[in-house]
Amino acid sequence: MIVSDLRSGVEQLGDMIAAASTIIPFTGAGISTECGIPDFRSPGGLWTRNRPIPFDEFVASRDARDEAWRRRFAMEPIFAAARPGRGHRALASLYKAGKIPAIVTQNIDNLHQLSGFAAEHVVELHGNTTYARCIGCGKSFDLGWVKHIFEATGGAPDCTACDRPVKTATISFGQAMPEDAMHRATELARHCDLFLAIGSSLVVWPAAGFPLLAKNCGARLVIINNEPTEQDDIADLVIRHDIGETLGPFVGN
Ligand code: NAD
């Protein structure tokens, strides 16, 4: 059911939260736009400016790697300045209250951890852009180190342990999904009684399969997004409003 006015949407959401014992939020880029991080598909979103660099291109081409890192450094002031918004803080309040055991996110911005979720309770489907990893052996690197090498040599660094390329710890198009995160997200979606899909256009698969899975396993499904999604038809409640406005009332003290 799509609710047209925000107040009754918030009321119905409050009732559903009160009735639920295990809530799993599933978040997309829309929860972080009020924190200054653009999403991908809205006007002015990242894709209207840059074509994504697929994984095989990153691996095959030094120019592609240099370009990927140039873009990442260009975004650094935005990621570094971002603080959790009302949506993040509301979910952190429900987590502290024991209603949310863990959160599944498509986001790579680390804002759920900053809002108070323990890192082990944030299931990151697309990785995390606040640090780097070797694509061969998985060794982690600070972005500061990558930037230092980039500036000193004019190009993207290779791993100090195995010489393979170093990439932000994110999942690019064409890169295998992280098995452990996919497994954990599947279990969480299957065993909750309320699933909240927040700020996702629900077009990026396989991540977009989780709301559907939760619904098929008996959970009630709520979609909070300011534009229609392909799963609105199967949702128990669709709140087509701003996320900060919708979740603001659930921020605890
Ligand atoms: P998306 O860009 O496809 O969809 C975001 C949705 O949020 C859109 O439908 C948009 O209309 C809606 N939205 C934006 N601001 C909103 C607001 N304030 N209130 C309500 N709705 C709002 O994002 P996605 O579904 O997460 O998929 C894109 C992929 O891009 C993700 O998998 C993620 O890895 C990556 N990404 C992450 C970030 C981040 O970490 N913050 C930012 C951009 C892209």
Side-chain angles (χ1 to χ4, degrees):
M1 185 186 65
I2 302 172
V3 285
S4 48
D5 82 294
L6 178 61
R7 217 174 109 189
S8 74
V10 170
E11 255 173 46
Q12 289 184 51
L13 177 60
D15 291 345
M16 290 166 97
I17 288 173
S21 52
T22 307
I23 303 171
I24 298 300
F26 167 85
T27 58
I31 196 169
S32 297
T33 52
E34 80 167 8
C35 314
I37 302 173
D39 62 11
F40 270 174
R41 292 178 179 76
S42 296
L46 295 174
W47 280 2
T48 58
R49 286 180 268 154
N50 282 324
R51 178 187 68 89
I53 298 172
F55 185 64
D56 55 355
E57 208 176 309
F58 183 93
V59 176
S61 152
R62 180 159 285 284
D63 283 349
R65 293 201 283 283
D66 291 351
E67 174 59 15
W69 278 110
R70 260 191 299 276
R71 288 183 192 178
R72 177 61 187 85
F73 297 141
M75 287 292 291
E76 182 54 13
I78 288 176
F79 280 115
R83 290 292 165 269
R86 288 169 291 178
H88 300 98
R89 286 185 278 129
L91 297 176
S93 300
L94 293 169
Y95 167 68
K96 279 180 205 133
K99 284 267 185 184
I100 293 177
I103 185 163
V104 179
T105 188
Q106 300 180 84
N107 292 345
I108 54 175
D109 55 26
N110 211 45
L111 289 178
H112 290 302
Q113 289 89 330
L114 283 182
S115 74
F117 277 85
E120 70 262 31
H121 296 147
V122 182
V123 178
E124 295 178 316
L125 298 175
H126 296 157
N128 188 310
T129 195
T130 64
Y131 63 99
R133 249 187 213 297
C134 167
I135 63 166
C137 69
K139 185 174 160 77
S140 298
F141 295 91
D142 277 353
L143 293 192
W145 175 81
V146 178
K147 190 153 192 254
H148 174 72
I149 304 283
F150 195 93
E151 282 168 355
T153 66
D158 292 327
C159 179
T160 51
C162 74
D163 244 14
R164 298 273 285 146
V166 172
K167 180 180 168 295
T168 54
T170 52
I171 306 297
S172 302
F173 281 100
Q175 190 171 1
M177 293 294 282
E179 264 176 47
D180 180 54
M182 288 299 287
H183 175 73
R184 287 181 67 201
T186 302
E187 289 307 302
L188 291 166
R190 288 177 57 197
H191 299 293
C192 63
D193 55 2
L194 180 59
F195 192 91
L196 308 176
I198 303 166
S200 175
S201 54
L202 300 181
V203 297
V204 180
W205 289 77
F210 291 114
L212 191 61
L213 175 66
K215 178 70 188 166
N216 286 341
C217 291
R220 295 171 100 188
L221 173 61
V222 177
I223 294 178
I224 308 172
N225 204 57
N226 63 9
E227 63 173 20
T229 79
E230 280 177 20
Q231 298 185 32
D232 289 356
D233 287 352
I234 61 158
D236 297 275
L237 177 64
V238 176
I239 305 179
R240 210 170 279 164
H241 284 278
D242 178 73
I243 293 160
E245 303 265 301
T246 306
L247 292 180
F250 301 97
V251 177
N253 296 317

